[in-house]
Amino acid sequence: MGKYIEVELGVKLYVEDLGQGEPVVFLHGWPASSRMFEYQSMLLPQKGLRFIGIDFRGFGKSDGPWENYSYDRMADDVRAVVDKLGLERFTLVGFSMGGAIAVRYMNLHNEHGVSRLILAGAAAPRFTRAEDFPYGAPVKGVDTMINDTHKDRPAMIEAFGKQFVGKQPSKPFAQWLSTICLESTAHATVRAMESLRDEDLRGDLPAITVPVTVLHGVQDKICPLELAEKTLELVPQAELIRFEESGHAMLFDEPDKFNETLLALLQ
């Protein structure tokens, strides 16, 4: 069932909370919402697990304040939801931007309540290239996406969606994914992308002590496989599971493998 949880004065996040058993908290990618995990929201409760999907501020059904879309603020929002739900031992699953925020949560909140971390196509250690980090997306490319959002957000999302999956999606699927992304506010879309462009997690990753599994598509054009490899250098205990036939969204490109892997990790 869906519920709203206040994370700061006047700002409520939408949270989908289904099933009973061990909690599994899902953090979505940019610029989608927890609806991108709808297949997992049906599967996990059938397997005796509790699915919890959080819509970040400004995305999905959550409130969209004008400011505060930093990794710190969104990690604080996750902590507020965790505390409100009384979660003590849960698996945290972060996809793309959600993976970046999961990493910041682990450091900023001392891994509060997390027993296992799963990073899927995560935008870590950082999303964009820097002088000392020649991996990831070029900053100019991100700036172009931000400018395109100001000019024609639906067209930007359609173009982004074509990179999102490695296999050619059906037209209904592409429309479904675009609809989810268009539910986000325009300003959150821009401000969260600015955070993706500017923030760095190289100082956060070494602080992680819980078991970590990194899931990554070999053909990922948004967060290239090199990012996963660099994450493993900073988190020595992490395990990498490669999705050979997947682009960025392995949960759509190889759904059976993704779900089987997820369930195996949760046993």
Side-chain angles (χ1 to χ4, degrees):
M1 59 180 286
K3 60 186 71 174
Y4 284 90
I5 293 177
E6 189 170 60
V7 295
E8 67 174 344
L9 186 62
V11 179
K12 294 180 179 180
L13 299 194
Y14 178 80
V15 180
E16 192 75 22
D17 189 353
L18 300 168
Q20 305 291 327
E22 179 183 336
V24 187
V25 177
F26 288 80
L27 304 181
H28 65 83
W30 177 96
S33 72
S34 62
R35 285 181 60 198
M36 70 172 291
F37 299 115
E38 73 169 41
Y39 299 103
Q40 290 70 45
S41 75
M42 294 187 289
L43 175 65
L44 267 60
Q46 292 177 349
K47 301 296 183 179
L49 298 162
R50 182 179 174 189
F51 171 93
I52 299 169
I54 301 172
D55 285 359
F56 289 124
R57 57 176 53 213
F59 296 86
K61 298 179 182 178
S62 292
D63 289 342
W66 178 249
E67 297 178 329
N68 296 331
Y69 291 88
S70 68
Y71 284 0
D72 280 3
R73 178 63 256 182
M74 291 192 280
D76 286 346
D77 289 349
V78 174
R79 173 63 186 267
V81 172
V82 167
D83 288 348
K84 183 67 175 181
L85 295 179
L87 305 180
E88 296 180 352
R89 284 186 59 81
F90 63 93
T91 296
L92 183 60
V93 181
F95 173 79
S96 195
M97 180 182 77
I101 294 166
V103 170
R104 178 56 53 82
Y105 175 89
M106 298 298 285
N107 188 22
L108 188 63
H109 293 285
N110 300 310
E111 304 181 332
H112 177 73
V114 179
S115 58
R116 174 182 291 277
L117 176 65
I118 300 174
L119 300 174
R126 56 177 293 135
F127 181 61
T128 55
R129 301 171 193 170
E131 288 187 6
D132 60 345
F133 192 81
Y135 315 101
V139 170
K140 287 184 178 180
V142 175
D143 288 340
T144 297
M145 290 181 67
I146 290 172
N147 290 334
D148 289 346
T149 302
H150 285 285
K151 296 175 182 177
D152 189 338
R153 187 165 67 107
M156 181 278 295
I157 285 175
E158 181 180 4
F160 180 74
K162 291 178 180 178
Q163 293 183 302
F164 198 69
V165 291
K167 299 176 182 179
Q168 182 65 33
S170 68
K171 186 175 180 180
F173 177 88
Q175 291 174 334
W176 170 77
L177 191 59
S178 290
T179 298
I180 290 175
C181 294
L182 285 169
E183 289 176 346
S184 62
T185 65
H187 60 274
T189 299
V190 169
R191 291 173 184 266
M193 179 53 83
E194 290 171 345
S195 293
L196 278 163
R197 180 193 63 195
D198 299 338
E199 301 225 29
D200 197 309
L201 298 162
R202 285 177 285 179
D204 298 81
L205 285 161
I208 299 173
T209 64
V210 304
V212 180
T213 305
V214 176
L215 314 179
H216 217 97
V218 172
Q219 303 171 40
D220 194 334
K221 296 179 181 178
I222 295 173
C223 293
L225 184 63
E226 293 168 325
L227 297 189
E229 295 168 346
K230 294 302 172 184
T231 292
L232 263 68
E233 291 179 8
L234 294 168
V235 189
Q237 78 275 21
E239 171 193 17
L240 172 62
I241 298 178
R242 294 161 58 104
F243 284 72
E244 301 290 342
E245 300 177 14
S246 291
H248 188 47
M250 75 293 294
L251 68 168
F252 299 131
D253 283 332
E254 297 181 75
D256 291 341
K257 180 178 179 179
F258 179 82
N259 289 331
E260 289 167 4
T261 300
L262 184 62
L263 291 175
L265 292 170
L266 297 172
Q267 297 304 316

